Amino acid sequence: MTPLPLRALIFDVDGTLADTESAHRVAFNHAFAEAGLDWHWDEPLYTRLLEVSGGKERITHYWAEVCGDVKAIEAGALADTVQRIHDLKTAVYERLVQDGAVQLRPGVLRLIESAFKEGLRLAIATTTSPVNIAALMRSAIGPDWTHIFQIIEDASTAPLKKPHPQVYLQTLNRMQLRAAECLAFEDSANGLKAATGAGLPTIVTPNAFTAHHDFAGALRVLPSLQDTTVADLRAWHAAAPR
Ligand code: XBP
Ligand code: MG
C-alpha cells in the first residue's frame, strides 16, 4: 500500500524543542522557597520526578509520596496550595526564559523553518503550560512563532497528561489529519507512549534527563536534530512500518 504523504510535524516542547528542564527545576526550587517550604529538588531527584508529567501533578506526587503528610489536608485545600506553588513556579520560569536561560536544541530552528517553507504543517503537543510555550517561542523564534505553529495543544487544553495520548489525539483532530500523515518528536518515555498511543510514528531525541528511558517503539532515536533534514524526515516517514 502506498504510504500517505507526510503533511505535518508535531513537536513536544520540554526536552525536545529545547532543554528546558534545568530551568524548570530551578523555578520549582525558587517557588518552594518563596512559599516557605523546605523542599529542594536536586538533579537526581528531579530526574526521577520527571516520570510524572505535569508540574502540578509532579508537586502533588512529591508531596504525597515523599513528604507523606497530605492525608491530613482536605483535597480542595491541597489542590489550591499546589496551584499557588505552581503559579509561583511558572512566573519564575517565565522570567528565566525571558532572560535567555533556555535555547532551542541544535538543528531545531533550521528544521522547523525549512519544514514550514516546504509547506509542512507544524503543531505543538505538550504537557507544559501555555505561558511557558509562549515565553520560549517568543524568545527563540520571535513574535511570529504563532504563524509557524498553527495548532497548539497543551496543559490548558489536554488535562490528561502524557503518557495518556489525549494531547496528540486532540492535535490530530484539530489538524484533521491521520496519524500516518504526520511525524511526532519527543524526548521522554512518557512522551513516546503518548505519541505512539495516538498512532504517530515518533522520532525521539533524548536529553540528559531522559537518556536512560526505554524508547522501544520509536521510529528513530537520534542524539539531536542537528543533522536532520526535511528530506530525511520524508524518507523515514515513507519507510515507517504501517
Ligand atoms: C514536560 C512536562 C512539564 C514540564 C514542566 O512537558 O512534563 O510538566 O516538566 O512544565 P513536555 P509545567 O510534554 O513538553 O515534555 O510546570 O508547566 O507542567
Ligand atoms: Mg518532553
Side-chain angles (χ1 to χ4, degrees):
M1 187 174 93
T2 314
L4 292 169
L6 178 63
R7 295 194 193 283
L9 307 180
I10 306 173
F11 287 91
D12 163 55
V13 173
D14 292 308
T16 301
L17 286 179
D19 276 326
T20 59
E21 294 297 352
S22 294
H24 279 302
R25 186 180 72 85
V26 168
F28 278 112
N29 286 328
H30 272 279
F32 300 152
E34 219 172 308
L37 294 163
D38 64 353
W39 302 349
H40 181 78
W41 291 354
D42 62 18
E43 284 201 0
L45 172 57
Y46 192 63
T47 301
R48 290 197 302 279
L49 291 173
L50 270 174
E51 286 165 23
V52 178
S53 287
K56 286 189 284 188
E57 292 80 356
R58 196 168 301 143
I59 294 168
T60 306
H61 166 78
Y62 173 76
W63 198 346
E65 299 303 314
V66 179
C67 303
D69 57 358
V70 290
K71 292 181 185 58
I73 303 172
E74 184 269 327
L78 177 68
D80 290 349
T81 305
V82 168
Q83 183 65 56
R84 187 167 58 82
I85 297 168
H86 194 248
D87 290 346
L88 289 172
K89 175 264 173 181
T90 300
V92 173
Y93 178 80
E94 187 180 20
R95 283 198 303 275
L96 289 171
V97 172
Q98 285 165 347
D99 293 348
V102 179
Q103 316 298 327
L104 291 182
R105 288 187 65 176
V108 165
L109 186 56
R110 174 192 47 74
L111 188 61
I112 284 169
E113 287 177 336
S114 43
F116 183 70
K117 284 193 190 100
E118 289 195 28
L120 289 177
R121 295 167 63 189
L122 299 171
I124 282 175
T126 177
T127 302
T128 197
S129 316
V131 170
N132 296 347
I133 305 166
L136 175 65
M137 292 292 111
R138 272 199 306 270
S139 148
I141 297 179
D144 290 346
W145 74 274
T146 51
H147 299 306
I148 294 176
F149 288 98
Q150 293 169 352
I151 300 289
I152 298 147
E153 286 287 325
D154 57 41
S156 68
T157 58
L160 299 176
K161 302 289 170 63
K162 300 172 184 177
H164 194 288
Q166 183 183 55
V167 70
Y168 281 106
L169 292 169
Q170 290 181 183
T171 302
L172 289 169
N173 183 48
R174 285 184 58 197
M175 297 184 92
Q176 285 296 290
L177 290 174
R178 284 163 287 188
E181 297 175 280
C182 305
L183 282 177
F185 297 79
E186 270 290 349
D187 71 302
S188 67
N190 275 348
L192 174 60
K193 287 191 189 96
T196 53
L200 284 155
T202 304
I203 293 171
V204 175
T205 50
N207 52 60
F209 286 106
T210 64
H212 62 290
H213 287 191
D214 175 6
F215 296 121
L219 180 61
R220 255 186 177 63
V221 180
L222 304 170
S224 81
L225 295 173
Q226 185 157 1
D227 304 319
T228 302
T229 64
V230 176
D232 292 329
L233 298 183
R234 292 186 193 281
W236 297 340
H237 174 260
R242 298 288 175 230

